Each structure stands twice: as C-alpha cells, then as structure tokens.
Amino acid sequence: MTWVTAVAHLRDRREPGVLVTVAAVRGHAPRRPGAKLVVGVERTWGSIGGGNVEAVAVDRARELLCRTDDPEPELMEFALNDKVLNRHGVQCCGGEVTILLEPLTVVPAVAIFGIGHVGLELARILARHDLDLHLIDSRPDMLEPERLGVLSDAVARVHVHHTPLLPEEILAQLPPGTHVLIMTHDHAEDAALCDAALRRDQLGSIGLIGSSAKWSRFRHRLITEGKHAPEALARIKTPIGLPEITGKEPAIIAVSVAADLLRTMANATAPTRDPVAAPPSPRCSAPSARSAPILAHPAVTDR
C-alpha cells in the first residue's frame, strides 16, 4: 500500500495517523528527501529507511496519536554516527536527517436530518469544509442526484441516506462524535430523532430547529414518554443558530446555524476513534457506545 493509499485508508476508517516525511538530508542517509512513512495506531505503511531513525519517529508519532488536544507538526533531527546512542541503537551512515511529522486527525462529522430548503442550504455551506457530511431524509425526492448536484464540488465527503420509515436508525451508523442537526419536515420525525439521539452517548452536539412552543411539547413528551431526566434534555440545543443573525430566509437561517455549529465544533472534545472500526491501542483508551429503545412514530408519506 502506497503512502497516499494509506492516508486514504485511515480517512475511510476514521482513524488518526501521522505522516512522517524525510524533509532534509545532509551527507549519507538511508533514504532521500521525500521518503514517507504513515503511522497508524497499530500499523505502519511505507518506510523512511528503517533502523533507529524510523523507530524513534514511530515512537514519537504514536505519542502524538494519544494526545487529546490538537497536535501540531513537528521536526526531528538525527545525527547518524557511531557517537550517538539512544534507545533504538546506533545508526552510523555518517549524515544528518531532518524528519517532519504531520498529524492526520480524524475530521469532524455532521449529520443533517431533513434536507429541505434550509437543510440543503446548510449542506451547501458545510460541504465547503473538510468533514464527513451525512444527509438523511425520508423523502426520496429531497435526495435526488439532480437536487444534490450543487454539492458536486464539495470539499467534504458527502454520505446520502434515504430512510423511508425510521430515520433515527441512521444514528447507530454515525461515527462517534458526530454533530447532529434535526430539521425534518415532520414533527413526529423530529421527536423520535431527539429521543433516539439522547440515548446515544457517543454523539457530539445535538441541535433542533424550531420554536419555543415546539420545544415545550417535545420536552414534555421526552420526559413523560421517553423517560428522560429533565437535566438530560440539556444536551439538545434549541433554537439553533446565532441569535444576532436574524431573518427567516433559508439561506440566512443556514448561515446562522452553520456559524453556530462551526463554533461548537472548534470547542468540541468529542471522541474521534470509532471503537468498531479501530480497536483501541494499548497506549490510548477509546470511547464506548450505548444504544437503547426509541420512541416510535408513524410512517411519514413523501410530500
């Protein structure tokens, strides 16, 4: 597997990694500048020459993988002579090597339930960012390729989910830390999604579009029928968006919601490794997922 393929592999599996590159060489060294190694939690791909340099670089890369903050690129310098001794032995090629370590973090994930007028405008904004964007709707016409053609140049990876009966089942398929926005065309759908989202600890933020009257009804239902503790409902943010951005046009609402979400994502400390796709490393712990029954709602006809 080439290093390019390895980076794509980690992205697909939503696993963090570190790209290690020989940035500069003076004198003799095992590899020329530009040689690359990709370090994952459990595996490596490629090589920067083996020996002490590679072993130390792998050790440092895995230390970066275990950091909970946002690691920055690092430079490491090595003198390859018989007078330098460290924990991986001597490498005496005679030259000097500079190594660049670039963390490959797991990109954020966002799920929009309801791709109506506001949902599509919101998707257009979020698609310009490096993230995994999940678009979910029970109405097939909302997800027609022609309608979603405005996302054809997306920077984000767009995942489309058509769920005719139970959109809340998609919640179990979302990566840990996914930020959820609930804005479907049907209040029964919204209520079921709120109930199901509250039962999944591994999600990121949960946002619900709507008025205070709508939330008052939902709150009563979630407590009485869903058996949620009142304090648990604080996980759901409603209304969503920045209050200083006013207007009821779909594009204005979308800008407000996107700005609010991007601010939330910047401050988020949600888990980034999928416990199913990536077994936890002995060096790092991984989050756990929990599921539970959800409130049922009647099938919704397309409209």
Side-chain angles (χ1 to χ4, degrees), residues 10 34 80 154 156 300:
L10 291 173
L80 308 181
V300 179

Side-chain angles (χ1 to χ4, degrees), residues 13-272:
R13 291 174 58 88
R14 296 190 57 80
E15 297 180 27
V18 176
L19 177 63
V20 183
T21 304
V22 177
V25 171
R26 294 182 61 187
H28 296 285
R31 296 294 301 272
R32 299 175 62 181
K36 297 183 186 295
L37 166 72
V38 178
V39 181
V41 173
E42 300 293 341
R43 294 183 57 190
T44 64
W45 298 268
S47 175
I48 55 170
N52 169 62
V53 172
E54 185 164 311
V56 172
V58 169
D59 283 352
R60 180 54 185 158
R62 293 217 162 108
E63 290 174 0
L64 294 177
L65 289 177
C66 291
R67 290 179 55 173
T68 57
D69 57 353
D70 187 16
E72 296 183 351
E74 292 185 0
L75 287 173
M76 301 180 70
E77 296 182 349
F78 298 85
L80 308 181
N81 60 66
D82 56 8
K83 298 180 176 61
V84 178
L85 178 65
N86 59 49
R87 62 184 182 274
H88 294 293
V90 174
Q91 200 163 350
C92 52
C93 303
E96 297 178 357
V97 175
T98 301
I99 302 297
L100 173 64
L101 292 88
E102 298 176 272
L104 306 170
T105 56
V106 178
V107 300
V110 178
I112 304 175
F113 285 84
I115 314 302
H117 297 304
V118 175
L120 183 60
E121 292 290 347
L122 180 59
R124 293 178 67 179
I125 297 171
L126 295 179
R128 305 309 306 157
H129 299 266
D130 186 19
L131 49 80
D132 283 335
L133 181 60
H134 295 262
L135 308 180
I136 308 100
D137 208 297
S138 60
R139 302 163 293 174
D141 53 314
M142 295 295 102
L143 302 175
E144 288 289 343
E146 294 79 8
R147 187 167 185 268
L148 299 183
V150 293
L151 308 179
S152 60
D153 62 346
V155 174
R157 289 194 177 185
V158 180
H159 311 267
V160 178
H161 309 267
H162 174 229
T163 55
L165 296 177
L166 299 173
E168 60 268 27
E169 291 182 345
I170 296 296
L171 290 168
Q173 305 174 27
L174 298 175
T178 299
H179 300 277
V180 173
L181 293 167
I182 301 171
M183 48 178 60
T184 81
H185 65 297
D186 185 274
H187 283 199
E189 238 179 73
D190 285 354
L193 283 164
C194 287
D195 175 64
L198 288 173
R199 298 183 188 278
R200 304 202 68 83
D201 292 338
Q202 88 282 14
L203 294 176
S205 62
I206 306 170
L208 170 68
I209 199 168
S211 64
S212 57
K214 174 182 176 179
W215 177 239
S216 179
R217 293 193 298 272
F218 277 26
R219 179 180 175 84
H220 176 75
R221 181 180 176 184
L222 290 168
I223 293 173
T224 57
E225 298 180 35
K227 308 300 181 185
H228 296 284
E231 56 271 19
L233 272 59
R235 288 181 62 198
I236 297 179
K237 178 177 181 180
T238 186
I240 50 178
L242 300 179
E244 56 267 33
I245 300 179
T246 60
K248 294 188 176 182
E249 294 83 357
I252 294 178
I253 297 172
V255 167
S256 175
V257 173
D260 192 17
L261 176 63
L262 291 171
R263 183 173 61 182
T264 297
M265 288 164 49
N267 298 326
T269 56
T272 56

